[in-house]
Amino acid sequence: HEYVIEAAGKIVREIPEARFLFVGDGVLTDSHRAAIARAGLEKYFVFAGLVPPDRVPGMISAMDIVVHTSLREGLARVLPQALISGKPVVSYDVDGAREVVIDDETGFLLPPKSIDALAGAVVKLAGDAKLRETLGRQGQARFARQFDHRHMTEQIRILYEKLLSSV
């Protein structure tokens, strides 16, 4: 979140109607709130706090863009969730992100810690509804079946059967 907060000033200068929705909670929440206050950006941020998993799709549907700036995470669940929901993604190129964030196809994949690139990608998407729709639709078409829980369960069952038949 620190990188989103750092980029937010640049983003709101270009897109004054931009708002940032942080979903989740943790030990850094107070320091994030303090950084936002120091930057004078309080009116641009909403903290939803920790929400039950069944509310996450509703949160994602309220977003125009999903931004993920973690520096260490296998394949963050929010990335396929966002794409399945038809939302474009801006993510740092870490761990499993490149499995679903295909640059200029389902969103933008950026070098970790890159603030200017992050701000630029968000501004580009925020200012172009057609691009958001195109990238979101491409992500949805590409990953809706692959990350559907029924399909994933079936693939696991097939793998288990294959492994058991070789014993």
Side-chain angles (χ1 to χ4, degrees), residues 145 147-155:
R145 176 161 159 67
F147 287 101
D148 178 82
H149 68 91
R150 293 170 296 248
H151 176 71
M152 292 174 72
T153 303
E154 176 67 14
Q155 294 303 109

Side-chain angles (χ1 to χ4, degrees), residues 25-74:
D25 197 8
V27 297
L28 298 175
T29 299
D30 290 340
S31 65
H32 291 330
R33 287 180 184 273
I36 291 165
R38 281 192 303 276
L41 297 170
E42 299 98 319
K43 74 178 189 177
Y44 298 100
F45 284 84
V46 174
F47 284 77
L50 191 60
V51 298
D54 64 333
R55 288 199 50 219
V56 172
M59 297 283 170
I60 291 173
S61 72
M63 301 173 192
D64 291 325
I65 306 161
V66 173
V67 177
H68 188 263
T69 57
S70 178
L71 299 179
R72 293 172 301 281
E73 198 158 349

Side-chain angles (χ1 to χ4, degrees), residues 24-152:
D25 197 8
V27 297
L28 298 175
T29 299
D30 290 340
S31 65
H32 291 330
R33 287 180 184 273
I36 291 165
R38 281 192 303 276
L41 297 170
E42 299 98 319
K43 74 178 189 177
Y44 298 100
F45 284 84
V46 174
F47 284 77
L50 191 60
V51 298
D54 64 333
R55 288 199 50 219
V56 172
M59 297 283 170
I60 291 173
S61 72
M63 301 173 192
D64 291 325
I65 306 161
V66 173
V67 177
H68 188 263
T69 57
S70 178
L71 299 179
R72 293 172 301 281
E73 198 158 349
L75 174 56
R77 288 179 61 191
V78 71
L79 297 176
Q81 285 175 321
L83 293 167
I84 290 167
S85 297
K87 303 297 177 173
V89 174
V90 175
S91 178
Y92 284 160
D93 186 4
V94 296
D95 303 322
R98 67 179 43 207
E99 292 180 38
V100 295
V101 183
I102 295 119
D103 206 34
D104 289 321
E105 189 175 319
T106 64
F108 297 112
L109 199 59
L110 310 173
K113 300 183 182 182
S114 59
I115 304 305
D116 289 339
L118 175 61
V122 171
V123 166
K124 182 176 183 174
L125 283 168
D128 190 339
K130 185 171 173 45
L131 179 62
R132 286 194 313 271
E133 182 183 326
T134 299
L135 296 179
R137 195 175 338 103
Q138 289 175 171
Q140 191 173 45
R142 189 176 188 122
F143 295 110
R145 176 161 159 67
Q146 181 179 343
F147 287 101
D148 178 82
H149 68 91
R150 293 170 296 248
H151 176 71
M152 292 174 72

Side-chain angles (χ1 to χ4, degrees), residues 151-164:
H151 176 71
M152 292 174 72
T153 303
E154 176 67 14
Q155 294 303 109
I156 291 169
R157 186 186 62 74
I158 290 168
L159 176 62
Y160 284 168
E161 288 175 355
K162 180 180 176 183
L163 292 171
L164 286 172

